[in-house]
Amino acid sequence: MKFLIAGFYHESNTFSPILTKKEDFIEVEGEELLDYFPGAVHAFRAAGAEVVPCTFAGWMSSGVIEEEAYRYYVDKIVAQIREQKNISGIWLQLHGAIYAENIGCGELFMLRKIRKAVGYEIPIAIGMDPHGNLSPDITKYANILRAYHTAPHEDQQDTYRITAEALIDFALRGVKITPAFVRLPMLLCGDTALTRDEPLRSVIARFKKMEAEGEAACASFFISMHSANTENTYPAVVIVPRKPEDYHRAMARAREIAEEIYERRHEFRFEGDLVKPQEAVDMACDSEAYPVVISDSGDNTTAGATGMNTYFLKLFLDKGDFHGKKVLISTIYDKRAYMLLKDREVGSDFDIMLGAGVDEWSQPVPIRGTIKAKGATLVYHPMRSGLRTFAGGLITVSIGDLDITISEVADSFTDMEQCEVGNFKAEDYDIIVVKQAYQFPDLVKFAKKQIIALTPGATYQDLAAIREQYTKLPWTLWPFQGNDK
Ligand SMILES: [Zn+2]
């Protein structure tokens, strides 16, 4: 048996004003690619199969991909697949929310080209991120789909193993399987859909049972990626039956689970207090519990926002008096401001404009103060779970009781290791503003109080309030319609 491995990883935020270019992507080929997917590779090798790596490219969540860039990678992957003879199956890692300029749904575009090259006789499996906006048409081209069962994501390799095992099984038995796919008539805010909370906790437990007991090869819930105006921005339940004749049973089960999730839609809630930005600033300064972590949720870089917004900075500058509290805004991405400061001495004064000015939310603000420290940013590798990578420089500046970290790249403060690398101490502050919506475990542990501020930006969280921006979705969707909030 011979299995090909390829992939493309990108969560495209259509509300970001910045297109993602070819040079932004990390590209791996050959043996190096196999290091990214040990879950799948071990499964293939354990079955005595040959594994052929093609190309895998990806980047962190950001704006829509330039047409030329996406065509380049798809053409490259398809050409590599076409070169191979006697293929038993193709295993892909695709994010699920790939969206390219003038192309639209990136997954469909790639899969159609692959099927054109190899026909429909061999099975295709895809390991995916649950924040995917899937077209129902994906089931015409792929036989196996599975999303990670965790958000925040921790079980990527399990998904890769399970999909690879199903691919081997389908190839050996020569069965042609169509996944059962059911969409939910709702726009779901991904930051309210964590698998540690209900209703997803029990839904995932049910999926695990179905997979363990053999009722399904794979069972998944695609939460969707809400910061994208696409024709596919819907959550979906996808169940892959083991046998072609079980398709209708899988469909009935998918429908039943989709209905149950829809019925429980009001249980999707943020983990912290959700308030207007000004209220968040006032609440934090008046809070008796410290430290307070505030989410600048409209500029969540982990969901593709720019990280450039100066909105919160202006609110704190306007407030002026923080009731004796020390505040950190972490972090504002402005390469020009970073370059202006990077060669200056720590302890020296500065007087600059901060704000990249790419849209109305990132307009420059005059700031004057002292350079406090220099360090680096440490970000999660976009395509390799668990791996951290140094991404660029970070400078901490002080304006009285307000400190700001200014970074060379888009970043989000998600864990304490970043303090060490960035050369700042989280415990020095009473209030920390981060470019996130929900918090990662380190910050949950650190915060005595969490506030989610409904700030404007490319990842705005009050979806019903911006329904006019979702021009590709019907207004009959929950929570758009009526007063059914
Ligand atoms: Zn995700």
Side-chain angles (χ1 to χ4, degrees), residues 11 95 129-131 153:
E11 183 179 69
H95 182 282
D129 189 291
H131 297 113
H153 315 314

Side-chain angles (χ1 to χ4, degrees), residues 399-411:
I399 310 166
D401 287 333
L402 173 66
D403 285 5
I404 309 156
T405 57
I406 300 169
S407 57
E408 195 183 356
V409 295
D411 193 15

Side-chain angles (χ1 to χ4, degrees), residues 292-303:
V292 180
V293 174
I294 304 179
S295 299
D296 182 355
S297 68
D299 197 23
N300 174 8
T301 55
T302 67

Side-chain angles (χ1 to χ4, degrees), residues 130-131 148-154 188-205 221-224 226 261 264-265 267-272 295 300 302 436-441 444 450 452 461:
H131 297 113
Y148 314 145
H149 278 183
T150 52
H153 315 314
E154 292 164 19
L188 176 58
C189 178
D191 297 280
T192 63
L194 306 188
T195 52
R196 61 189 176 221
D197 300 330
E198 289 296 337
L200 289 192
R201 195 170 53 195
S202 46
V203 169
I204 297 293
F221 180 60
F222 287 86
I223 296 163
S224 77
H226 70 259
I261 297 170
R264 298 182 68 185
R265 64 195 179 279
E267 292 178 44
F268 289 102
R269 288 186 185 282
F270 288 96
E271 284 184 340
S295 299
N300 174 8
T302 67
Q436 278 288 131
Y438 66 76
Q439 299 306 336
F440 283 64
V444 172
Q450 284 188 55
I452 297 172
Q461 304 289 324

